[in-house]
Amino acid sequence: GILPPKEKPKDEIEEMVLQLQKEAEVKPYERMTLEELKEAEDDFDETDRKAIEKYRQQRLQELKFLQRRQKYGELREICGEQYVKEVTNAPEDVWVIIHLYRSSMPMCLLVNEHLSLLARKFPEVKFLKAIVNSCIQNYHDRCLPTILVYKTGEIKGRFIGVAECGGIYLKVEELEWKLAEVGAIETDLEENPKKDIINMMTLSVQNVSAHEDTNTKSSDVMKPHIT
């Protein structure tokens, strides 16, 4: 014979009912763009108009937030005259990273390349570069590259010289980690890219120390005892 259709489990039926109720609660204006809301404003009653205005303000805030996050996205060149405006007086909720450089130094050019990549990855952060002579006169080459990190007009981090910036073989991931450590960016890296190198250097130092201790003890044993 012909069997009746199998009944859906009770939990599944309840879930479908709840979903239909949820869909029914969604107001038409919640599916509209800001332009559509403006055109259809006269079609709603007074209660809906108040809700629409609240919803419109919420959407505007979301758009402003998105626009601000996408505001930068590149490494921009500035000069000393723009320093206060672009760096010190930047919006309080914006992190500013500025690289003071000299184009004749290969390490500075490498840092600029890495910062350009990071600027695209973190468009909500303002990445800047400036030729050092336009900002500070008689700045020593040994202090370059110089990377300064600002927030609310104050320096939150600084990397001065080749060693502090990560060395001549600096990788972009290593620079990203350094900037994340001072809070300027939210990295998706799970650990310090230089961790293995640091561990190897630490182990090497420990081995050297242990070797020196062994040699010292051996020398002490071989020393003649004068009575």
Side-chain angles (χ1 to χ4, degrees), residues 211-224:
H211 183 67
E212 289 176 350
D213 289 342
T214 302
N215 288 343
T216 301
K217 289 178 181 177
S218 299
S219 299
D220 291 341
V221 170
M222 295 178 68
K223 282 180 182 178

Side-chain angles (χ1 to χ4, degrees), residues 6-22:
K6 186 177 179 181
E7 291 185 3
K8 293 185 178 181
K10 186 177 179 181
D11 291 345
E12 189 177 343
I13 294 173
E14 289 179 354
E15 186 177 340
M16 288 177 63
V17 171
L18 289 172
Q19 181 63 29
L20 288 171
Q21 289 176 342
K22 187 177 180 180

Side-chain angles (χ1 to χ4, degrees), residues 118 121-122 173 176-181 184-191 193:
L118 293 175
K121 185 174 181 180
F122 303 98
E173 294 84 5
E176 179 178 337
W177 185 267
K178 283 179 175 291
L179 296 175
E181 283 187 317
I185 58 178
E186 295 181 7
T187 181
D188 53 5
L189 298 174
E190 295 182 357
E191 62 179 17

Side-chain angles (χ1 to χ4, degrees), residues 103-143:
S103 58
S104 59
M105 296 184 64
M107 180 65 187
C108 289
L109 299 180
L110 177 64
V111 169
N112 277 341
E113 287 179 14
H114 291 344
L115 289 177
S116 292
L117 294 173
L118 293 175
R120 290 197 289 271
K121 185 174 181 180
F122 303 98
E124 71 277 10
V125 177
K126 183 190 279 192
F127 285 85
L128 303 170
K129 62 179 179 177
I131 295 176
V132 66
N133 287 346
S134 72
C135 301
I136 307 171
Q137 293 297 319
N138 303 318
Y139 197 68
H140 292 294
D141 282 358
R142 67 174 180 271
C143 297

Side-chain angles (χ1 to χ4, degrees), residues 6-200:
K6 186 177 179 181
E7 291 185 3
K8 293 185 178 181
K10 186 177 179 181
D11 291 345
E12 189 177 343
I13 294 173
E14 289 179 354
E15 186 177 340
M16 288 177 63
V17 171
L18 289 172
Q19 181 63 29
L20 288 171
Q21 289 176 342
K22 187 177 180 180
E23 290 177 0
E25 291 172 0
V26 176
K27 300 291 184 182
Y29 56 76
E30 292 182 358
R31 300 191 185 95
M32 294 181 176
T33 63
L34 292 175
E35 291 78 10
E36 290 171 340
L37 282 172
K38 189 173 182 180
E39 291 175 2
E41 193 170 3
D42 295 335
D43 298 335
F44 298 105
D45 58 27
E46 186 62 27
T47 304
D48 279 339
R49 286 197 188 98
K50 290 180 180 178
I52 288 170
E53 182 57 30
K54 184 178 179 181
Y55 181 66
R56 181 188 285 125
Q57 292 302 321
Q58 179 184 339
R59 291 292 303 278
L60 285 171
Q61 290 299 322
E62 290 172 356
L63 286 172
K64 285 180 182 178
F65 178 74
L66 288 173
Q67 287 171 355
R68 189 172 61 197
R69 283 184 63 87
Q70 301 298 326
K71 187 175 182 180
Y72 306 109
E74 63 177 349
L75 177 63
R76 258 192 325 119
E77 181 96 30
I78 65 168
C79 62
E81 294 176 356
Q82 299 170 292
Y83 199 98
V84 173
K85 177 185 175 183
E86 296 287 347
V87 180
T88 312
N89 293 341
E92 291 188 357
D93 59 343
V94 173
W95 284 90
V96 181
I97 297 167
I98 182 164
H99 174 214
L100 303 180
Y101 75 100
R102 229 186 282 282
S103 58
S104 59
M105 296 184 64
M107 180 65 187
C108 289
L109 299 180
L110 177 64
V111 169
N112 277 341
E113 287 179 14
H114 291 344
L115 289 177
S116 292
L117 294 173
L118 293 175
R120 290 197 289 271
K121 185 174 181 180
F122 303 98
E124 71 277 10
V125 177
K126 183 190 279 192
F127 285 85
L128 303 170
K129 62 179 179 177
I131 295 176
V132 66
N133 287 346
S134 72
C135 301
I136 307 171
Q137 293 297 319
N138 303 318
Y139 197 68
H140 292 294
D141 282 358
R142 67 174 180 271
C143 297
L144 295 175
T146 291
I147 300 173
L148 302 175
V149 182
Y150 282 80
K151 180 79 180 292
T152 62
E154 298 178 356
I155 294 178
K156 302 296 182 181
R158 68 186 80 197
F159 306 97
I160 299 174
V162 174
E164 285 191 17
C165 286
I168 59 174
Y169 300 110
L170 176 70
K171 296 179 180 178
V172 65
E173 294 84 5
E174 294 165 2
L175 182 55
E176 179 178 337
W177 185 267
K178 283 179 175 291
L179 296 175
E181 283 187 317
V182 297
I185 58 178
E186 295 181 7
T187 181
D188 53 5
L189 298 174
E190 295 182 357
E191 62 179 17
N192 188 347
K194 263 193 170 179
K195 182 180 177 182
D196 293 338
I197 298 174
I198 293 170
N199 289 342
M200 287 176 64

